[in-house]
Amino acid sequence: MNNELLEALTLLEKEKDISKDTLLEAIEQSLIQACKNHFGKADNVKVYINPQTCEFHVQAEKTVVEKVEDDVMEISLTNAKMIDSKYELGDIVNIEIKSKEFGRIATQNAKNVILQKIREEERKVLYNQYYGKEKDVVTGIVQRYLGKNVSINLGKVDAILNENEMVKGEVFRPTERIKVYVLEVKDTSKGPKIVVSRTHPELVKRLFESEVAEVKDGTVEIKSIAREAGSRTKIAVWSKNPDVDPVGACVGLNGARVNAIVHELRGEKIDIINWNENSAILIENALSPAKVISVIADDDDKTAKVIVPDYQLSLAIGKEGQNARLAARLTGFKIDIKSETQARESGEFDELFEAYDNYNDEYDEYDEDYDGPYEEGAEDYDEPYKEGTEDYEDLPELEEDSYQED
């Protein structure tokens, strides 16, 4: 019997990942509960279990008295002397209780205690296992649609992908494998309740960590993410190592790394930009691929005014304002974008445009100064060349006969 119990506990420990000590504790509690059901009380009952062999003993501690008033708690001096002649009044005698003597009801209750403990521990193990994966990405298998929600099997437990956490337009097929972001893990009486997401920005970050070794080891850091799930994502990256290009590391050779993530996100576009501590430069980068003339950023108010060339205005704003909206989320600034013509007409940027025009004039002047010496040098170079040419042309011509003789 003890060997069978040991094998059963070992099997449970392996399959359910429940420690043997916990199971032995459950058996101890079940035996005490059986004693309570059988005798009416079990305050004086002790259970001793050998964890190596699973051999157990149930003993009741009884006080030696002259006249017994409580059979469960007391024993007469005469009976105590029959066990051992050294016992005296007031001594404690350990009486072995045979578990085989328990009635059917007591045995059934003990069994229920063990099963209940196993279920509780199994739920606890599952909860701890998946709670450790909270705020992380896991791979699941699509089970079925529950109304507009989707049931995703994560291995030992099912998770729920709610409608509001699904990318608009995404359709899943049963048995399809997808990656999801674990939003929350709750402990309930029916086991852990897991809520997952396909729209959370952190999903993109975790996918980059799995695909890009430099992000995983911390060399490249993702500073900020702005996402409109199913359409476009912008991420700002920064490298701790000056020899590592953060954007290049995330893109990968021939775009292999970023393309793998785009494929997992079913074609969602991803813009990767360089992070910069200078807010103006960061905003300029965030508005990529649009070109920017100037950025005036107020770090205190978190506002920025941006001027772009006229032909770049629609690109900077993006379709339905998406590019500007994502840039604002990425940087944390409220961004006001104006074309060069709009900015000149408003008169708000006169000083800026004056400096801008002066810069262009100085550039043109510098360009002219550069051409002058070059042209002058070219003329100086041509003269000796021409002189040499003239000298060469003045050489006497060889007579045909002398040429043939030679």
Side-chain angles (χ1 to χ4, degrees):
M1 180 64 185
N2 292 338
N3 290 335
E4 292 176 1
L5 179 59
L6 181 61
E7 290 176 4
L9 295 182
T10 303
L11 186 63
L12 278 171
E13 184 177 37
K14 184 178 180 180
E15 289 186 352
K16 303 291 187 180
D17 199 21
I18 303 172
S19 71
K20 190 183 296 183
D21 292 339
T22 301
L23 294 170
L24 290 174
E25 182 184 342
I27 293 172
E28 180 181 336
Q29 293 298 322
S30 69
L31 290 170
I32 292 174
Q33 182 64 40
C35 289
K36 187 173 182 181
N37 292 330
H38 186 71
F39 299 111
K41 62 175 69 173
D43 297 338
N44 61 330
V45 174
K46 302 292 183 183
V47 178
Y48 303 94
I49 302 177
N50 186 329
Q52 304 300 325
T53 63
C54 285
E55 182 181 353
F56 64 91
H57 297 277
V58 183
Q59 295 179 345
E61 296 179 345
K62 295 187 178 184
T63 305
V64 179
V65 294
E66 187 70 39
K67 184 179 179 181
V68 177
E69 296 180 357
D70 188 341
D71 290 338
V72 177
M73 305 294 292
E74 299 171 341
I75 186 173
S76 67
L77 180 60
T78 303
N79 290 336
K81 290 285 187 181
M82 291 174 64
I83 298 172
D84 194 326
S85 59
K86 68 178 182 180
Y87 285 122
E88 300 293 340
L89 293 174
D91 289 344
I92 301 297
V93 180
N94 290 323
I95 306 297
E96 187 80 16
I97 299 175
K98 300 297 181 181
S99 58
K100 292 180 180 179
E101 298 175 359
F102 294 157
R104 183 180 60 81
I105 296 177
T107 304
Q108 184 63 38
N109 289 339
K111 177 184 175 183
N112 292 338
V113 169
I114 295 175
L115 292 176
Q116 179 65 24
K117 185 66 174 179
I118 290 174
R119 283 193 290 266
E120 288 177 1
E121 287 301 315
E122 190 175 5
R123 286 199 302 267
K124 188 183 295 183
V125 167
L126 284 175
Y127 172 76
N128 291 335
Q129 180 181 346
Y130 286 97
Y131 182 75
K133 295 180 180 180
E134 197 174 62
K135 313 303 179 188
D136 203 353
V137 170
V138 295
T139 300
I141 300 175
V142 177
Q143 296 290 92
R144 60 191 179 278
Y145 274 86
L146 304 173
K148 294 184 178 180
N149 303 331
V150 180
S151 175
I152 311 289
N153 182 262
L154 302 183
K156 295 181 180 179
V157 68
D158 288 348
I160 298 298
L161 178 61
N162 293 322
E163 181 187 12
N164 58 348
E165 296 296 340
M166 294 168 60
V167 176
K168 188 176 180 181
E170 269 193 345
V171 178
F172 303 108
R173 300 185 305 274
T175 72
E176 183 179 2
R177 299 178 71 88
I178 62 171
K179 290 185 178 179
V180 291
Y181 180 76
V182 181
L183 276 179
E184 186 180 27
V185 180
K186 290 182 179 179
D187 190 14
T188 69
S189 59
K190 295 182 180 179
K193 180 182 177 182
I194 303 173
V195 180
V196 296
S197 172
R198 287 276 294 176
T199 61
H200 202 284
E202 285 291 312
L203 173 62
V204 180
K205 182 177 181 180
R206 298 301 183 192
L207 290 175
F208 270 99
E209 288 176 356
S210 64
E211 288 289 337
V212 183
E214 291 83 354
V215 175
K216 188 173 183 179
D217 64 22
T219 303
V220 174
E221 183 180 348
I222 298 177
K223 288 283 192 176
S224 181
I225 299 179
R227 185 185 183 202
E228 291 191 357
S231 179
R232 182 180 292 274
T233 293
K234 283 181 181 283
I235 69 170
V237 294
W238 175 78
S239 175
K240 295 179 182 178
N241 186 342
D243 295 329
V244 176
D245 174 21
V247 174
C250 292
V251 172
L253 183 63
N254 296 325
R257 290 174 169 178
V258 72
N259 285 341
I261 298 170
V262 169
H263 177 72
E264 177 61 39
L265 298 176
R266 307 194 175 193
E268 183 174 316
K269 297 179 178 64
I270 299 178
D271 297 336
I272 307 172
I273 69 162
N274 281 304
W275 170 270
N276 199 295
E277 294 293 340
N278 187 311
S279 302
I281 297 176
L282 176 61
I283 292 168
E284 180 179 351
N285 293 343
L287 287 170
S288 176
K291 304 299 180 185
V292 174
I293 292 176
S294 176
V295 178
I296 302 175
D298 188 332
D299 290 324
D300 296 329
D301 294 339
K302 290 292 180 181
T303 58
K305 295 181 179 180
V306 178
I307 302 173
V308 298
D310 291 349
Y311 68 94
Q312 291 278 297
L313 181 61
S314 60
L315 183 62
I317 294 174
K319 184 179 179 180
E320 298 178 354
Q322 185 185 67
N323 193 57
R325 189 165 57 249
L326 287 174
R329 290 181 193 168
L330 189 73
T331 59
F333 278 71
K334 183 178 179 181
I335 302 175
D336 180 19
I337 303 175
K338 290 187 177 181
S339 68
E340 185 178 351
T341 300
Q342 291 172 339
R344 287 183 185 276
E345 289 175 353
S346 68
E348 297 179 50
F349 304 94
D350 288 343
E351 293 182 6
L352 175 64
F353 278 115
E354 185 178 348
Y356 177 68
D357 293 338
N358 289 339
Y359 172 79
N360 286 337
D361 291 342
E362 289 176 9
Y363 178 80
D364 293 340
E365 184 179 342
Y366 174 77
D367 191 44
E368 290 172 3
D369 292 342
Y370 181 76
D371 289 343
Y374 174 77
E375 291 174 356
E376 184 180 341
E379 291 173 0
D380 294 341
Y381 178 76
D382 287 342
E383 291 303 324
Y385 175 76
K386 289 177 181 178
E387 290 176 8
T389 303
E390 291 169 0
D391 294 342
Y392 177 76
E393 289 174 348
D394 291 341
L395 290 175
E397 295 183 1
L398 293 173
E399 294 181 4
E400 186 176 350
D401 295 338
S402 62
Y403 172 76
Q404 290 176 349
E405 290 175 3
D406 295 339

